[in-house]
């Protein structure tokens, strides 16, 4: 689906991961590791190059910014819905920085009622909360995405 991706992967103990697990239960969707996408839908060489580039950069930090949004991405015949918490990034430019709180594939978009069930209480993400990683995201099921490299 998203081929290879470069992410800032949140530590297992970060509060966002607990919220993603909770959201997957109440919305009956797949769970996935909390992450901030740097780039997605890359071939392996592109992903390795971007991973190396970001390995040399100082880590940014992120602040929760604004209200939850819903996003729709179409890749081929697959429709990918997400509920996203926008972020303000401090220290570098990342296009459309956000944390996804829930995913739904090839089904109806999330409703307003579903979005309102998501816990949006304040959080920050500092440099010690995450690791740069390269993820293999070919499956349409986010629970099957695999981390193949970390820094």
């Amino acid at each position: 689906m998203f081929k290879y991706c470069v992410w800032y992967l949140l530590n297992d103990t970060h509060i966002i991961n607990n919220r993603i697990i909770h959201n997957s239960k109440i919305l009956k969707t797949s769970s996935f590791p909390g992450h901030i996408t740097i780039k997605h839908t890359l071939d392996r060489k592109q992903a390795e190059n971007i991973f190396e580039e970001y390995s040399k950069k100082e880590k940014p930090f992120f602040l929760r910014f604004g209200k939850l949004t819903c996003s729709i991405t179409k890749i081929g015949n697959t429709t990918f819905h997400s509920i996203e918490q926008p972020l303000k990034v401090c220290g570098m430019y990342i296009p459309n920085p956000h944390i996804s709180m829930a995913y739904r594939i090839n089904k109806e978009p999330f409703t307003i009622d579903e979005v309102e069930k998501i816990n949006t209480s304040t959080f920050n993400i500092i440099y010690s909360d995450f690791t740069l990683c390269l993820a293999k995201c070919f499956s349409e099921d986010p629970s099957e995405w695999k981390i193949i490299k970390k820094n």
Side-chain angles (χ1 to χ4, degrees):
M1 178 160 185
F2 288 109
K3 298 168 68 176
Y4 291 97
C5 303
V6 180
W7 295 341
Y8 284 131
L9 178 69
L10 295 179
N11 299 339
D12 291 341
T13 56
H14 196 279
I15 190 168
I16 291 299
N17 282 310
N18 291 334
R19 291 182 187 170
I20 290 168
I21 291 166
H22 175 75
N23 297 341
S24 71
K25 289 177 183 169
I26 64 170
L27 299 173
K28 296 178 177 60
T29 58
S30 290
S31 187
F32 53 91
H35 61 275
I36 299 163
T37 301
I38 297 168
K39 291 266 188 177
H40 65 79
T41 319
L42 303 166
D43 64 34
R44 180 69 184 251
K45 184 166 177 42
Q46 291 172 311
E48 292 280 357
N49 289 341
I50 291 168
F51 181 89
E52 289 307 315
E53 175 189 342
Y54 277 79
S55 294
K56 296 171 185 162
K57 294 183 179 197
E58 203 167 304
K59 286 180 167 182
F61 66 93
F62 301 88
L63 303 173
R64 182 180 161 272
F65 184 71
K67 296 181 179 181
L68 290 171
T69 61
C70 290
S71 167
I72 300 172
T73 304
K74 286 192 77 74
I75 298 176
N77 293 327
T78 303
T79 304
F80 185 83
H81 301 278
S82 61
I83 299 174
E84 301 172 351
Q85 174 60 63
L87 300 172
K88 183 179 279 191
V89 61
C90 304
M92 73 172 59
Y93 173 75
I94 295 175
N96 186 29
H98 66 273
I99 285 279
S100 294
M101 304 301 289
Y103 293 141
R104 180 175 284 154
I105 291 91
N106 289 331
K107 295 184 180 168
E108 292 299 312
F110 290 103
T111 65
I112 292 170
D113 287 344
E114 289 173 321
V115 173
E116 289 176 349
K117 292 178 182 178
I118 305 297
N119 179 343
T120 60
S121 60
T122 303
F123 63 86
N124 294 320
I125 302 170
I126 61 172
Y127 65 91
S128 59
D129 288 335
F130 60 86
T131 305
L132 181 68
C133 81
L134 178 59
K136 188 175 181 178
C137 305
F138 283 78
S139 176
E140 289 184 4
D141 182 349
S143 68
E144 294 177 359
W145 295 347
K146 301 292 180 212
I147 307 307
I148 56 175
K149 191 174 188 179
K150 285 185 181 183
N151 182 10

